[in-house]
Amino acid sequence: MAMLRWVTLALILFSVVSLCKSEAEAEAETEAEGGEAVLTLDANNFAEALSSHPFIVVEFYAPWCGHCKRLAPEYEKAAASLKNHDPPIVLAKVDANEETNKALASEYDVKGFPTLKIIRKGGASVQDYKGPREADGIVKYLKKQAGPASVEIKSSEEATSLIGDKKVFIVGVFSTFEGEEYTNFTTVTETLRSDYDFGHTSDATIIPLKDSPINPPFIRLFKPFDELYSDSQDFNVDSLEKFVEEASTPLIAVLTKDPDSHAHVIKFFNSPDAKDTRF
């Protein structure tokens, strides 16, 4: 009987040790996977990484940078999550403090740390990352950036949900999704996608604020300030970019505690035509 108790106790202790070991090994594997989620790039493998991944986000960092250290664990978490996205969204990092990488950092106009760049199509498109710096926000922002630059709006419910009343949103209305006007619109959406939200539709009746006729092709820029929307039918690429930039800048800046208004206020103060500020 005593022997049986000792055997039972030994089996229990063995099970506990095995369980602890399994948990420790699993935790180590998870940490290893998390550490490997962000690709480490340098001047030697950078071009190859860009050619292998049509959509990649690159953080240029310096080991001594406090902001970089705070971003690192959030960046790792986001990278681990985005690996499972279809298609995968790749996050990478480059030590811009290394002498061999300084020319690369200069090429990408890195002037401070951390600097994050969204690079598409092997480097044909390079845009600044302007999203959040915490894991969940990074994931949400990049999933949107990896999708289409403009979302097709098919119902008034979708229009209301997408446009909202706290941000700038640009809608293109077209009889058909082809032709010069639509092509130019898509060109502008790709260029400005990191700064603005875009949608397009073939049904003018679902667009809000339709107090005046909308005859396609047509652009309506919604905004939570001034006259609430601006319209244009000039589809020249340069003219359309200028229209978006000018129409999205407030004529009057209203300073409030609402964080959604901060981007509009910042844009107002960055404008050379800033004249009126109200508290």
Side-chain angles (χ1 to χ4, degrees):
M1 183 67 69
M3 178 64 71
L4 181 60
R5 284 199 296 270
W6 278 110
V7 171
T8 302
L9 179 60
L11 289 172
I12 292 174
L13 290 173
F14 178 78
S15 298
V16 170
V17 171
S18 298
L19 178 61
C20 292
K21 182 179 180 182
S22 297
E23 290 178 348
E25 289 175 347
E27 184 175 344
E29 289 176 0
T30 300
E31 290 178 356
E33 288 176 359
E36 295 173 355
V38 175
L39 297 182
T40 299
L41 304 181
D42 56 31
N44 295 319
N45 62 4
F46 192 84
E48 181 182 354
L50 263 57
S51 63
S52 301
H53 306 290
F55 182 95
I56 184 170
V57 183
V58 180
E59 175 203 4
F60 292 90
Y61 74 98
W64 46 260
C65 167
H67 294 297
C68 300
K69 292 177 182 178
R70 285 190 289 273
L71 174 62
E74 300 298 318
Y75 198 60
E76 289 284 0
K77 291 176 188 175
S81 176
L82 291 169
K83 283 197 306 183
N84 300 319
H85 186 264
D86 186 20
I89 297 174
V90 179
L91 272 60
K93 61 183 179 180
V94 172
D95 183 352
N97 197 57
E98 282 285 340
E99 194 64 37
T100 55
N101 296 330
K102 287 184 177 180
L104 184 62
S106 178
E107 178 184 348
Y108 282 86
D109 196 31
V110 176
K111 297 178 180 177
F113 304 112
T115 292
L116 285 81
K117 299 285 183 177
I118 298 175
I119 305 175
R120 296 179 174 88
K121 302 174 183 177
S125 171
V126 180
Q127 294 175 319
D128 291 328
Y129 172 91
K130 298 181 179 180
R133 297 297 175 98
E134 44 80 26
D136 290 342
I138 294 171
V139 169
K140 183 178 180 180
Y141 181 85
L142 289 179
K143 283 183 177 180
K144 183 177 179 181
Q145 289 295 310
S150 178
V151 179
E152 183 178 358
I153 305 173
K154 299 179 180 180
S155 69
S156 56
E157 290 78 15
E158 287 182 350
T160 300
S161 175
L162 288 168
I163 295 169
D165 61 359
K166 292 187 176 182
K167 62 180 179 181
V168 171
F169 194 98
I170 302 100
V171 179
V173 183
F174 304 91
S175 299
T176 180
F177 300 145
E178 59 184 13
E180 182 180 359
E181 290 87 355
Y182 180 70
T183 298
N184 289 354
F185 175 76
T186 59
T187 297
V188 172
T189 63
E190 286 291 345
T191 301
L192 301 180
R193 65 179 297 162
S194 62
D195 296 300
Y196 304 98
D197 292 328
F198 292 90
H200 58 276
T201 185
S202 58
D203 186 356
T205 65
I206 67 176
I207 301 302
L209 302 175
K210 44 186 180 289
D211 55 338
S212 59
I214 298 178
N215 299 313
F218 192 90
I219 299 292
R220 174 157 288 179
L221 183 147
F222 293 89
K223 48 191 172 181
F225 48 79
D226 300 341
E227 68 276 28
L228 299 183
Y229 70 89
S230 297
D231 298 333
S232 176
Q233 288 186 290
D234 187 346
F235 282 87
N236 173 274
V237 170
D238 292 337
S239 299
L240 183 51
E241 287 187 17
K242 183 178 180 182
F243 163 73
V244 171
E245 293 290 350
E246 292 181 350
S248 62
T249 302
L251 298 175
I252 298 173
V254 181
L255 304 181
T256 71
K257 294 181 180 180
D258 185 353
D260 290 317
S261 70
H262 295 172
H264 312 313
V265 174
I266 291 171
K267 186 162 187 179
F268 170 84
F269 280 109
N270 288 336
S271 169
D273 298 323
K275 295 182 178 65
D276 193 352
T277 306
R278 299 183 184 181
F279 295 83

